[in-house]
Amino acid sequence: MLEVKPIQSKDDQRDFCERVGARYDADLLAYSLFDGDRLVGVCQFKLTPEGGSIKSLDLTDEKFDLIYMLCAGTLNFIELCGALYAYLDLDITPTKAKLLGFLPDERGRYKIDLKKFFSNPCKCK
């Protein structure tokens, strides 16, 4: 069973990042994705005055359903914290960003409107 959950300690965050090949950043919050007992992904992010900023989205298997689930779980937390928008501040293809619901803003930064995403994920544009 797939489960997205917050990483509670910096030691766990460091360990999980190493296990999925991500660059650990102690200044970021993080969520993990497990398939049963197996770690399959880590998403590191921060909250800013503009909204959420996803800094890394790393998985052991680049299947889209896993990326989507980890990203959506992280976006849920960001939205619950009161943010209206989230940004992908990482190296990602335009196609993958769009599939996750992010579109480039006027500066070319991938952005998602969280209220629209959670009211209707297929029409978040």
Side-chain angles (χ1 to χ4, degrees), residues 2 5-7 10 21 36-37 42 45 48 57 65 91 102 112-113 117 120 124:
L2 293 173
K5 53 188 173 183
I7 300 174
K10 291 300 173 184
D37 291 335
V42 173
F45 64 99
T48 71
L57 190 56
D65 58 335
D91 186 28
F102 290 79
I112 191 168
D113 181 319
F117 178 76
N120 189 344
C124 57

Side-chain angles (χ1 to χ4, degrees), residues 3 11 21 23-24 34 39 41 43 47 64 89 93-94 97 112 117:
E3 184 177 16
D11 288 337
R23 189 181 139 279
Y24 167 70
F34 278 84
L39 174 70
C43 180
L47 299 171
F64 180 74
D89 293 321
T93 66
I112 191 168
F117 178 76

Side-chain angles (χ1 to χ4, degrees), residues 102-122:
F102 290 79
L103 294 173
D105 66 10
E106 61 279 350
R107 296 176 289 161
R109 188 176 179 200
Y110 290 108
K111 176 181 179 180
I112 191 168
D113 181 319
L114 295 172
K115 295 295 181 198
K116 289 180 182 177
F117 178 76
F118 285 108
S119 67
N120 189 344
C122 296

Side-chain angles (χ1 to χ4, degrees), residues 8 13 21 27 42 44 68 72 81-82 96 99-100 111 118:
Q8 298 294 327
Q13 184 177 341
D27 294 329
V42 173
Q44 296 182 97
Y68 186 85
C81 288
K96 192 178 286 185
L99 287 170
L100 291 171
K111 176 181 179 180
F118 285 108

Side-chain angles (χ1 to χ4, degrees), residues 24-71:
Y24 167 70
D25 188 333
D27 294 329
L28 299 176
L29 300 168
Y31 267 72
S32 61
L33 176 63
F34 278 84
D35 184 359
D37 291 335
R38 185 174 67 92
L39 174 70
V40 294
V42 173
C43 180
Q44 296 182 97
F45 64 99
K46 66 180 180 177
L47 299 171
T48 71
E50 294 177 295
S53 172
I54 296 176
K55 298 293 197 173
S56 74
L57 190 56
D58 298 280
L59 292 104
T60 58
D61 185 344
E62 289 293 318
K63 291 181 180 175
F64 180 74
D65 58 335
L66 298 178
I67 295 167
Y68 186 85
M69 186 168 181
L70 181 55
C71 186

